[in-house]
Structures are given as structure tokens and as C-alpha cells.
Amino acid sequence: MQRLKGGLPVPLLHEVKLNELDEARYLHFLDDLSKTNAILFATATDAGLNSPERLSRHQSILVSNIRESIPKMRFEGGKQSVALLANQIEMISPQLYAQLVCQVDLLHDVVNRSINYYAQRIPGTLSEFRWRIDQKNTSKTVYEDAFEKIAPALLQTRSFREPCIRVEGFDYRKFSKYEYADGDVPEYLEVEYGLQLELALNVQKLIRGNLRFEDSKCSLGIQVADLLASGLRRCLRGGFVHNDAISAALGRLTLQNQRGKLPVHLVNFAQEVGNVDQMASRVVKAISKRSRAMLAQRTA
């Protein structure tokens, strides 16, 4: 960040926005980041297609699915928790609902892919997950408060449906603090959901253990994330003069996904499969082509 700001007519602590940078300086910034062990994860949606009606319909379906599980809960406390979750999601505006779905998708992607990436390369990284989210106001907003309560519950459910892939030979020991120990997997998973798991993530601890909403002016990490998000958003719209070069530079920060999946998740709120904007499709494919390999190269 110091190199990025060097030569700019701004105070050292000033938060630099994308519109204050020329493309050459931004490219240098992306190249600097690509030489580190940092990874870029991103979830995108075409806001122009997300009409209030479409979002409300998607929201209603999710709420209905959650409420359908209430009778399956054996204990009254479980029933009340599920009902509360459904009510909280139902009260969010369609626009904030879209943000919630995308952020939960992003968190799930970060957890699933980063674990295997670092378990091969720097296992100690997995000893602590610190989540820092850009705070929009001086006090926590209604959405931020709801996100902190709702996101872990949605992630926990998704982790049962889409468990993280584990690879024999990778070092997951530092991650064990976020897993239920042998014999400690909550009984309600089997009693109320019919799941028999030997290993399960403690998502509440993983997400809420070290989560803070911070002012970006006080967080270099959030400033970096903001520049990456702004750059990716402009790139998907074809807004750079050298858009292909920016696409390639962003791609070198992303991580290869499973076969058939892209490094950048594209979220569609319609039941039917929608067409991806041609420019966005070109950028995402370019990013995918340049993404880092998941498997580390081994030397004999």
C-alpha cells in the first residue's frame, strides 16, 4: 500500500480509491500482490437482472424451505431457533437479501478452497481465521447485525450439504480448533437431521470467533480488498482501457476451482439459467485461465 501511494499527492493514511489510480499503477499493485501468498475470492451477480420481484421470490423460497424443517426438529429449542432464522431472513429487504446470499456464498468459498490451498503450502495459516468486513456507518447497521446472526446458520447448513474436500497427505492439524473433536459432534445433527458425521466444522466458532466490522480507513486489509473488488467490478464491465491485462493480473490472484466451476462465483437469482453478459463472460474465462493451481508442485 505504501508503494501504491508513493508519488500520489495524498497523505500516507489516506484511503486510495480506484478512480484515483491510473491503470499502470493499478497493474503494478496487482503484480505486487501476486508475489505474495494472498488469494482473491469473489462472488458476483448482475444487479441489472435482480429485480425486486425476482429477489423476493428467491427469498420466499428459501424462507419456506427453512420453515419446512421446523417439524423435523425434535426439541422445542431447535424449533424456535429455526423459526427465528426464517423470520430474520424474511424481514430483510430484497436488496440486502441479495447481499446476504452473495456474502454467504463468498464465505463458504473462502473456507472450502483456502483450507486445501494453505494445508499444502503454509499450514500455520489455518490456525486463525480473522474476518474483517467494511463497516458502512459508525455504528453497526441492522443488516450487519442480522448478517452476524444469520450467516453462520446458513453456512452450517451448507457445510452439511457440501462438506469440504479433504486430501490425504495435506496438513490440517492447525485447523483442528475449528472442528468438533471425536465424539463431540452435536447429537442434534443425527437426531434432528439424520446426519451421521465423524467430522464436522464448528461454523459458529469459525465465523464468529474473530469477526469485526471495521472502518476501512483504519484497515489496510479492507483497503486492499476494496481495490480488488472495485477493479474486478470495473473489469467485468469492460471499463479499463487495457481490460485484458487487468483480467490476467486479477486472475493470477485467484485460485483454481473444481472442474466445471469458475474461480469467480456467478450468482443467479432466477430459477432458469440466465445468459451471462458477453464482456463478463470473457473476463471470467480470462481470470480462470490465469488462476493459480490448487495443487502445489512437488519436488522429488
Side-chain angles (χ1 to χ4, degrees), residues 25 44 50 82 108 140 144 185 192 249 253 286:
R25 187 180 291 269
N50 297 337
V82 174
H108 181 265
K140 189 178 293 185
E144 291 167 349
V185 178
E192 297 172 350
L253 288 167

Side-chain angles (χ1 to χ4, degrees), residues 41-42 105 108-110 112-113 158 161-165 254-266 284-292 294:
F41 292 89
D105 180 84
H108 181 265
D109 191 28
V110 169
N112 264 20
R113 286 196 286 152
R158 187 165 176 179
R161 189 173 68 250
E162 303 173 41
C164 180
I165 294 173
T254 63
L255 181 61
Q256 180 186 39
N257 209 335
Q258 298 177 43
R259 181 174 298 176
K261 295 184 178 181
L262 297 166
V264 175
H265 279 199
L266 302 177
V284 171
K285 288 177 181 177
I287 287 174
S288 182
K289 185 177 180 180
R290 297 281 186 168
S291 62
R292 300 181 183 185
M294 169 60 82

